[in-house]
């Protein structure tokens, strides 16, 4: 199907067929934990891998399978694997490759829980990480050690929207036999497809744009058949971070409108970013579609749209950030992103409060930084709400 249809069609149809039992066009929600094996002989054949069949929902579920096929089609991947959350996708993708004694090179301007996972949890398992400014591939190259097994990227990165040159990093990693993993949550496959640039594995928090309505936590890994099979058969099956079928159903429902929603997210965020650039209270704005973005040229090269995330620095630091959070009415003061509604957050006091001040500032997360997940409302209403706060 991937080769025949455009991305709008795939978002609606990939992985689906009318239910053979009923003809229902909406994918059935299979809640069964366990599946009838038929007979001792059929059961043995399924267990031996000689016959296809579901056994137990932690090993595979028909509703979850539809989501996996759909995301694989959107990311131009051979296969995909759904997980309980974005963090489950990231930890599964990493633990699929790294063992005690191995080393990771990671972009430093990334989602703080991912940073923590590597810096603390994986560190405790004997897996070391060097964090670098990944906006320059040469910094990644310099950090590679003989035991480096993974290069981990997030582009655009959370929250300051720094980009990584996906093609350059993929080429560098391939020449050294290192696996590349890229978190594509902010861009979505509508705006960027890392595998097309040679990246090995894409991870997503499906909690965000995929679901799109703020009502289902989930994650997805996409990559080669071989990598995905290993993730499914080993870390996911035994650490157990699988996606619940109901959340798969909700995320599948969300993905049908992903291309349409991303068009509006892209347009609204662009307009808000341009508007913010003209405000006296704003020191700078980061949005990959603005000419003022330090990697504007790279954004033009590897992104088809620039996404719904905008961040900006207020002149007044912490106090100005707090004032804006309290003054806005339409924008909801809340973490997360990718919802239909506009969400606003002040990272220094929330998402990044777990990161030390020095680390936070080295990632560009200063006291006056504000992050917006621009929603699908009328853009004039979003702008008017922000103006009220900035006044
Ligand atoms: N990757 C990125 C880029 C994220 O922004 C997040 C969550 C995750 C992975 C983890 O996904 P989850 O396990 O929550 O599904 N980002 C959040 C944020 O910026 N605020 O709240 C959550």
């Amino acid at each position: 199907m991937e080769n025949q249809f455009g991305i709008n069609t795939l978002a609606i149809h990939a992985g689906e067929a009318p239910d053979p039992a009923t003809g229902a066009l909406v994918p059935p929600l299979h809640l069964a934990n366990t599946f009838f094996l038929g007979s001792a002989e059929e059961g043995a054949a399924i267990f031996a891998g000689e016959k296809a069949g579901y056994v137990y929902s932690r090993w595979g579920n028909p509703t979850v399978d539809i989501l996996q096929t759909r995301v694989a089609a959107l990311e131009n991947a051979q296969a995909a694997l759904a997980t309980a959350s974005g963090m489950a996708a990231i930890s599964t993708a990493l633990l699929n490759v790294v063992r005690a004694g191995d080393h990771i090179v990671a972009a430093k301007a990334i989602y703080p829980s991912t940073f923590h996972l590597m810096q603390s949890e994986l560190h405790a398992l004997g897996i070391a990480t060097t964090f670098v400014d990944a906006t320059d591939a040469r910094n990644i190259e310099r950090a590679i050690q003989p035991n480096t097994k993974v290069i981990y990227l997030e582009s655009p990165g959370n929250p300051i929207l720094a980009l990584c040159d996906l093609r350059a990093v993929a080429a560098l990693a391939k020449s050294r036999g290192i696996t590349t993993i890229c978190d594509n949550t902010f861009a979505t496959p509508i705006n960027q497809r890392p595998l097309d640039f040679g990246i090995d594995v894409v991870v997503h928090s499906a909690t965000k744009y995929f679901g799109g309505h703020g009502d289902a936590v989930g994650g997805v890994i996409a990559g080669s058949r071989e990598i995905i099979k290993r993730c499914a058969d080993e870390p996911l099956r035994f650490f157990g971070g699988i996606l619940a079928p109901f959340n798969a159903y909700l995320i599948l429902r969300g993905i049908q409108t992903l291309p349409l929603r991303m068009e509006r997210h892209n347009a609204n965020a662009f307009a808000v970013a341009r508007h913010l650039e003209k405000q006296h209270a704003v020191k700078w704005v980061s949005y990959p579609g603005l000419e003022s973005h330090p990697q504007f040229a790279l954004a033009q090269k590897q992104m088809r749209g620039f996404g719904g995330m905008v961040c900006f620095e207020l002149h007044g630091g912490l106090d100005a950030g707090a004032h804006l959070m309290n003054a806005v009415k339409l924008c909801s003061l809340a973490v997360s992103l990718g919802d239909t509604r506009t969400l606003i957050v002040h990272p220094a006091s929330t998402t990044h409060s777990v990161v030390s001040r020095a680390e936070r500032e080295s990632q560009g997360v200063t006291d006056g930084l504000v992050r917006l997940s621009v929603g699908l409302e009328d853009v004039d209403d979003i702008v008017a709400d922000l103006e009220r706060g900035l006044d």
Side-chain angles (χ1 to χ4, degrees):
M1 182 157 206
E2 310 72 290
N3 298 327
Q4 296 166 22
F5 292 108
I7 205 155
N8 295 283
T9 308
L10 293 174
I12 296 166
H13 294 282
E16 259 184 44
D19 177 37
T22 62
L25 284 176
V26 171
L29 171 51
H30 289 284
L31 295 170
N33 292 345
T34 192
F35 298 83
F36 183 49
L37 296 174
S39 65
E41 292 73 22
E42 279 177 89
I46 292 172
F47 268 77
E50 291 156 6
K51 182 175 188 279
Y54 294 100
V55 174
Y56 184 55
S57 266
R58 180 158 50 77
W59 303 7
N61 172 281
T63 307
V64 175
D65 271 358
I66 300 172
L67 172 65
Q68 294 176 163
T69 306
R70 187 159 309 170
V71 173
L74 295 178
E75 283 289 6
N76 201 17
Q78 288 177 350
L81 184 67
T83 58
S85 65
M87 287 313 300
I90 295 163
S91 55
T92 301
L94 285 169
L95 289 169
N96 188 44
V97 182
V98 290
R99 295 284 179 274
D102 289 343
H103 176 249
I104 301 168
V105 179
K108 67 179 178 184
I110 56 175
Y111 176 52
S113 293
T114 309
F115 191 92
H116 175 94
L117 171 70
M118 295 185 219
Q119 193 189 39
S120 300
E121 308 305 323
L122 295 186
H123 179 77
L125 298 177
I127 298 153
T129 303
T130 304
F131 294 97
V132 299
D133 173 357
T135 58
D136 185 341
R138 285 170 300 186
N139 295 333
I140 295 176
E141 188 165 20
R142 277 193 283 271
I144 291 173
Q145 300 175 9
N147 57 341
T148 302
K149 294 286 162 54
V150 168
I151 296 175
Y152 187 89
L153 308 173
E154 196 177 289
S155 186
N158 186 356
I160 57 157
L161 306 166
L163 308 185
C164 308
D165 186 332
L166 300 178
R167 196 185 290 283
V169 177
L172 164 69
K174 280 220 169 19
S175 71
R176 312 285 184 100
I178 299 170
T179 302
T180 42
I181 303 177
C182 179
D183 186 327
N184 202 31
T185 301
F186 271 33
T188 82
I190 307 305
N191 287 330
Q192 171 180 282
R193 294 208 297 198
L195 301 184
D196 291 351
F197 298 109
I199 294 291
D200 297 308
V201 182
V202 159
V203 288
H204 276 279
S205 169
T207 316
K208 312 294 171 9
Y209 292 105
F210 277 5
H213 296 75
D215 55 9
V217 172
V220 189
I221 309 167
S224 70
R225 226 168 262 118
E226 186 196 344
I227 288 175
I228 295 303
K229 181 169 171 15
R230 223 176 37 227
C231 285
D233 290 351
E234 292 176 25
L236 191 68
R237 184 179 292 192
F238 296 107
F239 285 105
I242 56 141
L243 185 68
F246 186 59
N247 279 20
Y249 172 84
L250 288 172
I251 294 164
L252 265 169
R253 185 178 156 109
I255 287 179
Q256 293 182 66
T257 55
L258 179 69
L260 208 53
R261 284 186 286 107
M262 290 317 295
E263 246 176 59
R264 176 69 74 87
H265 282 299
N266 289 345
N268 278 4
F270 215 145
V272 167
R274 276 194 207 287
H275 181 84
L276 286 169
E277 266 198 322
K278 292 186 236 138
Q279 302 303 305
H280 294 304
V282 174
K283 232 191 227 176
W284 51 259
V285 180
S286 178
Y287 185 69
L290 291 178
E291 283 180 22
S292 57
H293 190 286
Q295 295 160 292
F296 176 69
L298 178 62
Q300 302 286 322
K301 239 172 47 182
Q302 69 185 22
M303 301 182 79
R304 281 171 294 205
F306 307 107
M309 302 302 293
V310 178
C311 75
F312 56 99
E313 171 78 17
L314 293 169
H315 276 296
L318 273 177
D319 289 348
H323 172 83
L324 180 61
M325 295 308 112
N326 291 330
V328 289
K329 293 202 162 59
L330 180 68
C331 302
S332 304
L333 170 55
V335 300
S336 201
L337 57 119
D339 288 10
T340 53
R341 69 191 70 230
T342 296
L343 305 175
I344 191 165
V345 76
H346 181 216
S349 62
T350 55
T351 49
H352 284 67
S353 58
V354 292
V355 180
S356 76
R357 190 193 187 96
E359 246 157 36
R360 173 161 72 69
E361 287 187 348
S362 89
Q363 295 169 9
V365 181
T366 45
D367 285 349
L369 189 80
V370 174
R371 188 190 77 176
L372 270 178
S373 168
V374 180
L376 307 179
E377 301 95 337
D378 288 297
V379 72
D380 292 347
D381 294 335
I382 303 170
V383 163
D385 193 47
L386 289 168
E387 253 176 17
R388 187 172 35 243
L390 293 170
D391 281 350

